[in-house]
Amino acid sequence: MILLEMEPMASAIGVSIPVLRFILCFVATIPVSFFHRFVPCTNGRHIYAAISGAVLSYMSFGLSSNFHFLVPMLLGYASMVFCRPYCGIITFFLAFGYLIGCHVYYMSGDAWKKGGMDATGALMVISLKIISSVMNYQDGLLKEEDLREAQKKNHLLKLPSLLEYFGYCLCCGSHFAGPVYEIKDYLVWTERNGIWKPSDKGQPSPFGATLRAILQAGLCMGLYIYLVPLFPISKFLDPVYHEWGFWTRLGYQYMASFTARCKYYFIWSISEVAILVSGFGFSGWTDMTNPPKPQWDRAKNVDILGVELAKSSVQIPLVWNIQVSTWLRHYVYERLIQKGRKPDFFQLLATQTVSAVWHGLYPGYIIFFVQSALMIAGSRVIYRWHQATSSAQFQKMLVFMNFVYTLLVLNYSAVGFMVLSLHETLTAYGSVYYIGSIVPILVLLLGKMIQPAKPVRSRAKKEE
């Protein structure tokens, strides 16, 4: 009966019933998170967070979803209890292994393209939460001088209770699409300590930031609904597409990529609303204004203008899927850098490979993230040239060059992320003569041949 009632609504907005059910449960995270503010005691808030998350998962994906979440959650907790010195690395491989198994079993990418839904997207977020909390507990054994800044901030000296851990993993449905956040922050917020401790100033109102996120979500959904029939990804295999000129095909790739990004902008804006209305989105007061203003960065997962107008590929991880990019930096990239040595291309490639595997084992994902590593490395070369020149005109030219380079390679590479299959990815790339793969490689080769001297201020700073 309910399915019959949902059918006209699903048809009206052009989605399948499973997708509509997910959207309704996803939007329901907003009122569910709002009511978290009024739960009276700390343990009550943990119970509310865990149960509400489990119920929303059940309503969206069915009972099996919670069983899938339970397996890596219990494995991670058991590793903390029984093998603390190695629990982080054990959980990293166990959680990723289980996630990869689910990716292979469900082949979610194909299902999503056909209008199906399953719990692997939520499992992706929970896996990162599990790994970070366990690694932070392992870090609690290290000496202060051996910890990086992020580790000093997030390490755990005490084992979280099972209730705290479950509440963190499932909190009010935030596992649907993130954002990923640290268990230490969750515990302080739930206990109403730290920046959330009641004071004479009172707690700042989140409703201004919430309204902005709601308007952003509405605009992005409107754009997506309007653009997706005009720029379907199925067009890349259409003979008509291959009859177009080079610039038209390249322009179509840009518009198809932008359309896909609008979907993610909508999803992350809704998840931002849910975190903001709970009060957890508050991240402190600014020091630069008088009187201080509240900041709401904790829930922010994307800077739309930062992505669309990025002047450098290096900026993309800082403005796109921000919380996952932060997770990858703290739990993969930084931990692969040996003490006393500088990072190189290996750390970047390894981080992008982990990100690819986290998304799924489709060739399109793997190619996209390898491309991303090349794209970022090429952008760094252009930036080094920019830093080394003293000519203002040449600097402006290199800034513009880096902007065009990022625009070209990002939107070309994103096609693989959208179509997923090897055949479709290579067909789309081949239709523009692999320009987005050739350009980064050429820039890297030029970077080997044209190695500018370090800028004067860097040398002076070093001498100081």
Side-chain angles (χ1 to χ4, degrees):
M1 189 65 159
I2 295 173
L3 291 178
L4 291 174
E5 291 174 1
M6 292 176 70
E7 196 166 342
M9 192 189 305
S11 300
I13 61 174
V15 298
S16 65
I17 290 176
V19 170
L20 177 61
R21 189 166 58 239
F22 168 77
I23 291 173
L24 292 174
C25 291
F26 186 48
V27 173
T29 61
I30 297 173
V32 167
S33 296
F34 176 74
F35 286 116
H36 186 281
R37 302 168 73 96
F38 306 105
V39 180
C41 66
T42 300
N43 281 342
R45 288 190 279 268
H46 288 310
I47 292 168
Y48 179 85
I51 291 178
S52 62
V55 169
L56 286 167
S57 298
Y58 168 72
M59 292 174 66
S60 183
F61 309 117
L63 188 61
S64 63
S65 63
N66 288 312
F67 286 117
H68 283 308
F69 303 154
L70 203 57
V71 172
M73 285 165 64
L74 291 177
L75 288 172
Y77 198 81
S79 72
M80 288 194 286
V81 172
F82 297 111
C83 193
R84 185 177 184 181
Y86 305 103
C87 60
I89 192 70
I90 290 170
T91 301
F92 187 96
F93 285 105
L94 286 178
F96 261 97
Y98 189 79
L99 176 62
I100 290 167
C102 288
H103 275 313
V104 171
Y105 180 78
Y106 286 105
M107 296 302 286
S108 305
D110 290 333
W112 294 340
K113 285 163 73 174
K114 294 173 185 175
M117 286 299 297
D118 58 62
T120 50
L123 182 60
M124 287 164 64
V125 178
I126 285 183
S127 297
L128 299 190
K129 285 185 171 185
I130 293 166
I131 292 167
S132 65
S133 56
V134 176
M135 280 190 164
N136 289 330
Y137 186 58
Q138 180 180 316
D139 288 342
L141 293 175
L142 300 177
K143 295 177 181 176
E144 189 81 7
E145 59 268 23
D146 294 331
L147 297 173
R148 297 181 183 275
E149 286 306 311
Q151 291 173 291
K152 288 177 184 176
K153 180 186 172 187
N154 299 316
H155 73 288
L156 297 171
L157 299 175
K158 178 186 170 187
L159 178 70
S161 70
L162 201 57
L163 180 58
E164 291 170 334
Y165 177 72
F166 273 42
Y168 164 68
C169 289
L170 296 170
C171 183
C172 303
S174 63
H175 58 290
F176 276 177
V180 178
Y181 45 81
E182 299 291 347
I183 189 170
K184 204 166 185 177
D185 291 334
Y186 165 80
L187 293 174
V188 173
W189 166 64
T190 306
E191 293 162 4
R192 301 299 187 256
N193 285 325
I195 60 173
W196 296 280
K197 191 172 184 177
S199 66
D200 295 337
K201 284 196 297 185
Q203 285 296 302
S205 170
F207 296 114
T210 300
L211 180 61
R212 177 199 57 78
I214 289 172
L215 292 174
Q216 181 175 284
L219 176 62
C220 294
M221 175 51 82
L223 274 172
Y224 179 74
I225 291 172
Y226 174 74
L227 291 173
V228 76
L230 301 176
F231 301 99
I233 58 175
S234 57
K235 197 78 172 180
F236 294 119
L237 295 179
D238 192 326
V240 174
Y241 165 82
H242 293 275
E243 292 172 4
W244 296 342
F246 169 79
W247 293 108
T248 307
R249 293 195 295 267
L250 199 62
Y252 188 91
Q253 289 194 4
Y254 169 78
M255 287 306 301
S257 299
F258 173 72
T259 301
R261 286 197 294 275
C262 284
K263 176 178 66 175
Y264 290 101
Y265 295 155
F266 164 74
I267 289 170
W268 288 330
S269 297
I270 291 295
S271 62
E272 183 177 355
V273 172
I275 299 296
L276 287 170
V277 297
S278 72
F280 186 46
F282 177 55
S283 53
W285 300 88
T286 59
D287 297 325
M288 307 298 291
T289 59
N290 191 16
K293 292 181 180 178
Q295 294 178 298
W296 303 95
D297 299 332
R298 192 181 310 279
K300 192 171 184 178
N301 226 0
V302 68
D303 176 353
I304 296 175
L305 291 180
V307 174
E308 300 302 330
L309 302 176
K311 292 180 181 178
S312 163
S313 302
V314 179
Q315 293 177 356
I316 298 298
L318 305 176
V319 292
W320 171 267
N321 206 354
I322 296 168
Q323 307 305 332
V324 170
S325 296
T326 301
W327 188 97
L328 288 166
R329 183 170 72 251
H330 291 163
Y331 295 100
V332 182
Y333 185 81
E334 291 180 352
R335 290 170 188 257
L336 289 174
I337 302 171
Q338 293 180 13
K339 198 170 184 179
R341 300 189 65 177
K342 290 183 177 180
D344 53 30
F345 185 68
F346 166 73
Q347 284 83 16
L348 179 59
L349 182 60
T351 303
Q352 294 301 90
T353 302
V354 169
S355 184
V357 171
W358 178 67
H359 282 85
L361 298 184
Y362 285 93
Y365 287 145
I366 306 295
I367 293 170
F368 170 77
F369 285 103
V370 171
Q371 277 275 138
S372 297
L374 288 172
M375 176 180 73
I376 293 169
S379 191
R380 285 174 176 169
V381 170
I382 300 171
Y383 180 73
R384 284 200 298 272
W385 293 340
H386 169 264
Q387 289 291 94
T389 184
S390 57
S391 167
Q393 193 170 5
F394 195 49
Q395 282 183 340
K396 288 178 182 177
M397 190 182 81
L398 286 168
V399 168
F400 180 71
M401 177 182 170
N402 214 344
F403 167 72
V404 173
Y405 167 90
T406 299
L407 193 71
L408 168 70
V409 182
L410 174 65
N411 289 286
Y412 163 91
S413 303
V415 173
F417 191 93
M418 295 185 295
V419 299
L420 300 182
S421 76
L422 182 63
H423 172 63
E424 287 178 279
T425 301
L426 295 181
T427 300
Y429 287 178
S431 71
V432 290
Y433 310 113
Y434 299 97
I435 186 170
S437 300
I438 293 169
V439 167
I441 293 170
L442 287 177
V443 170
L444 287 170
L445 291 174
L446 280 171
K448 293 289 184 184
M449 292 185 283
I450 308 171
Q451 295 191 6
K454 291 182 180 179
V456 175
R457 62 176 176 270
S458 293
R459 288 202 300 268
K461 194 173 181 182
K462 196 171 182 181
E463 285 168 11
E464 286 174 11

